[in-house]
Amino acid sequence: MKTFDEWSNGKKHIDENESTKLLTRELFRLSLPTMLGFAIQSLYDIVDMFWIGKISYKAIAGIVIFSTIFWLVEILNEIIGTSSVSLISQAYGKGNLKLTSLIIEQTLIFKAIVALIASGLLLLFFKPIVSFFSSDTDVINSAIHYGYIRIFFMPVFFMTYSTFTALRNIGRASLATLTMAAGTIVNIVLDPIFIFEKIPFLNITGFGLGVSGAAWATVISTFIPLVWGLYLLFRGIEGVKISIKGLLSLDKKIDTKLITIGLPSGVEMLLRNLSYTVLIKISSLFGSEYVTVFGIIERMFGFAVIPIFGLSMGASTLVGFQLGKNNEKGAKKATILATFYSVIIVSLLLVPLLLFRESVFVLFTSNENVIEIGAKSIPYVVFALFMISFSAGLSSAFFGSGKTSIPMIAGILSRWGVMVPFVLISTFVLRLGPIGLWLAFPVTEFVEVSVMSIAFVKSNWYKKRVI
């Protein structure tokens, strides 16, 4: 049987059907472990929200506000992480293992330094920022008690994400998934133990730390994949091996690329997160129930996009491999296949979400207002998710090639050219009430996928090289 590498290097001639099969096989080989890892991570998010909901719906609202603020700092992780995807995959695709190891070392240490500085600044301003989003004392206290702990350990989170990226982009996505799964399972187990004085359903004594307990469970469990990932990389895997010496020195050339390649993606993420910050603030004007609904919707988004982002990340790596071998046709085809499969899979997932819309919210809270508000939002969310399946698939072309300016432009136009003006006008001018919030989701995603589609067809993203 002809191998994928034989086709991608042009050593053998095969027809289009066989090349499609080979690319599909490789796409899912890279994507399925990532999907599984995200599924486990999403399961944690759902379980975490489930347990926090047992405290109160206001506790959920507090965590939502923390997440909104944390997303604004997460752009630093996004900038370096996005850069590292194209750098690692293209260096590995070229067979330059020494350079691949060096890039991984620089990604780890550079992220740690940046996260340390960012966490210090955020700790100083966190409390007044939280107060901007809500005047409800219970909501504010939940955000603060949870947030201070998570922010203090930000360098640990950033470095952990880097081990996942490194393993995935040297073709060992299954190991990245295993390390992620180990931490998530521990997190799920620790959550009720740390949160409650009496663990529900078991009547066993816990630590009773409330929302602070949820934060500590997350921090402790994050050390597991970090240590495991570092062990694998220090020991050596697939010819890639990092060293203490490499982690103690900075490489100006690589570090500059880690900032510049992903900078457009970081700007896009910052503006995207700021747009959601506007939505959270406006939703708080209607009451804490709406903030809670936003948090639950975010968890649903996280669960529903598992397959499409798994495919997108697998395809990004595959695109990087192909461009590293100067196989532009293979890079294009990988993107098209990822988009096709994303749309099919998400379409199948959205049907039960529509049919059981109330049950989704009952899982997290018994508050009838939250359940009713949430059920009304689902049709708008479903259409938005359908649109996201297209844009996620197409984005793999730009992230794999390093042409990250295109997702940035799409994000700016859709969020600040459409979403924010739409919400402000619908709320304060047209007086549509909360329906304006829900309408913003599908309208925004439609604009973004339109821009991405045009860029994929018209731009020369496949000519981009970062190595």
Side-chain angles (χ1 to χ4, degrees), residues 262-324:
L263 187 59
S265 177
V267 172
E268 186 272 333
M269 185 176 180
L270 173 61
L271 294 175
R272 181 186 296 267
N273 291 346
L274 284 173
S275 69
Y276 280 118
T277 301
V278 173
L279 263 63
I280 292 291
K281 177 59 181 177
I282 292 177
S283 69
S284 69
L285 301 178
F286 299 108
S288 297
E289 292 91 343
Y290 284 88
V291 179
T292 302
V293 169
F294 253 94
I296 296 174
I297 287 175
E298 184 220 335
R299 293 301 189 273
M300 288 191 298
F301 259 82
F303 185 78
V305 301
I306 287 169
I308 59 179
F309 280 128
L311 279 168
S312 178
M313 296 183 79
S316 296
T317 300
L318 191 53
V319 167
F321 285 169
Q322 295 306 295
L323 293 180

Side-chain angles (χ1 to χ4, degrees), residues 51 192-193 195-208:
W51 290 123
I193 297 174
I195 292 173
F196 303 104
E197 292 183 0
K198 288 289 184 180
I199 301 174
F201 312 120
L202 298 178
N203 201 33
I204 298 174
T205 301
F207 293 148

Side-chain angles (χ1 to χ4, degrees), residues 358-410:
E358 288 191 1
S359 300
V360 171
F361 291 89
V362 170
L363 177 66
F364 300 105
T365 181
S366 59
N367 186 281
E368 292 184 1
N369 287 336
V370 172
I371 295 170
E372 182 181 355
I373 294 166
K376 291 178 180 178
S377 72
I378 290 296
Y380 306 99
V381 172
V382 163
F383 186 79
L385 286 169
F386 182 70
M387 289 292 102
I388 289 173
S389 67
F390 285 92
S391 58
L394 293 171
S395 69
S396 60
F398 312 123
F399 290 124
S401 65
K403 191 84 171 178
T404 54
S405 58
I406 291 175
M408 178 189 73
I409 293 169

Side-chain angles (χ1 to χ4, degrees), residues 41 44-45 47-48 51 146 150 157 181-194 213-222 224:
Q41 180 64 41
Y44 156 70
D45 288 336
V47 173
D48 194 46
W51 290 123
Y146 183 87
R150 288 289 306 273
F157 290 100
T184 301
I185 291 170
V186 171
N187 206 335
I188 290 172
V189 172
L190 291 182
D191 253 348
I193 297 174
F194 278 71
W216 280 114
T218 300
V219 169
I220 292 170
S221 60
T222 301
I224 294 174

Side-chain angles (χ1 to χ4, degrees), residues 96-366:
N96 193 334
L97 301 180
K98 183 177 180 181
L99 179 59
T100 304
S101 302
L102 179 60
I103 293 169
I104 292 172
E105 290 168 345
Q106 290 304 298
T107 302
L108 286 164
I109 189 62
F110 199 55
K111 268 196 182 183
I113 293 171
V114 169
L116 190 63
I117 296 170
S119 62
L121 292 173
L122 187 54
L123 285 171
L124 291 175
F125 301 105
F126 184 63
K127 187 172 182 179
I129 296 174
V130 170
S131 300
F132 168 77
F133 286 97
S134 178
S135 58
D136 190 310
T137 303
D138 292 334
V139 172
I140 292 173
N141 287 337
S142 294
I144 290 174
H145 292 157
Y146 183 87
Y148 276 142
I149 297 168
R150 288 289 306 273
I151 294 169
F152 185 82
F153 288 96
M154 190 186 299
V156 174
F157 290 100
F158 277 28
M159 290 185 71
T160 302
Y161 300 147
S162 293
T163 62
F164 298 154
T165 301
L167 292 171
R168 188 174 59 250
N169 284 283
I170 60 173
R172 297 303 297 269
S174 58
L175 272 175
T177 298
L178 285 174
T179 61
M180 187 186 298
T184 301
I185 291 170
V186 171
N187 206 335
I188 290 172
V189 172
L190 291 182
D191 253 348
I193 297 174
F194 278 71
I195 292 173
F196 303 104
E197 292 183 0
K198 288 289 184 180
I199 301 174
F201 312 120
L202 298 178
N203 201 33
I204 298 174
T205 301
F207 293 148
L209 299 177
V211 292
S212 298
W216 280 114
T218 300
V219 169
I220 292 170
S221 60
T222 301
F223 276 97
I224 294 174
L226 175 61
V227 172
W228 191 354
L230 289 176
Y231 167 74
L232 292 170
L233 293 169
F234 274 116
R235 186 188 65 179
I237 181 169
E238 299 295 336
V240 173
K241 186 175 183 180
I242 66 173
S243 65
I244 293 291
K245 182 180 178 181
L247 290 175
L248 294 178
S249 61
L250 295 176
D251 186 295
K252 184 178 179 180
K253 184 177 179 181
I254 292 176
D255 294 341
T256 300
K257 288 185 176 182
L258 285 172
I259 288 292
T260 55
I261 294 171
L263 187 59
S265 177
V267 172
E268 186 272 333
M269 185 176 180
L270 173 61
L271 294 175
R272 181 186 296 267
N273 291 346
L274 284 173
S275 69
Y276 280 118
T277 301
V278 173
L279 263 63
I280 292 291
K281 177 59 181 177
I282 292 177
S283 69
S284 69
L285 301 178
F286 299 108
S288 297
E289 292 91 343
Y290 284 88
V291 179
T292 302
V293 169
F294 253 94
I296 296 174
I297 287 175
E298 184 220 335
R299 293 301 189 273
M300 288 191 298
F301 259 82
F303 185 78
V305 301
I306 287 169
I308 59 179
F309 280 128
L311 279 168
S312 178
M313 296 183 79
S316 296
T317 300
L318 191 53
V319 167
F321 285 169
Q322 295 306 295
L323 293 180
K325 298 169 183 176
N326 291 316
N327 187 353
E328 296 173 0
K329 183 179 179 180
K332 292 178 184 178
K333 198 164 190 176
T335 304
I336 293 170
L337 287 171
T339 305
F340 172 76
Y341 293 126
S342 292
V343 173
I344 296 299
I345 294 171
V346 167
S347 297
L348 295 174
L349 291 175
L350 294 181
V351 175
L353 186 57
L354 272 173
L355 294 176
F356 304 103
R357 63 186 75 176
E358 288 191 1
S359 300
V360 171
F361 291 89
V362 170
L363 177 66
F364 300 105
T365 181
S366 59

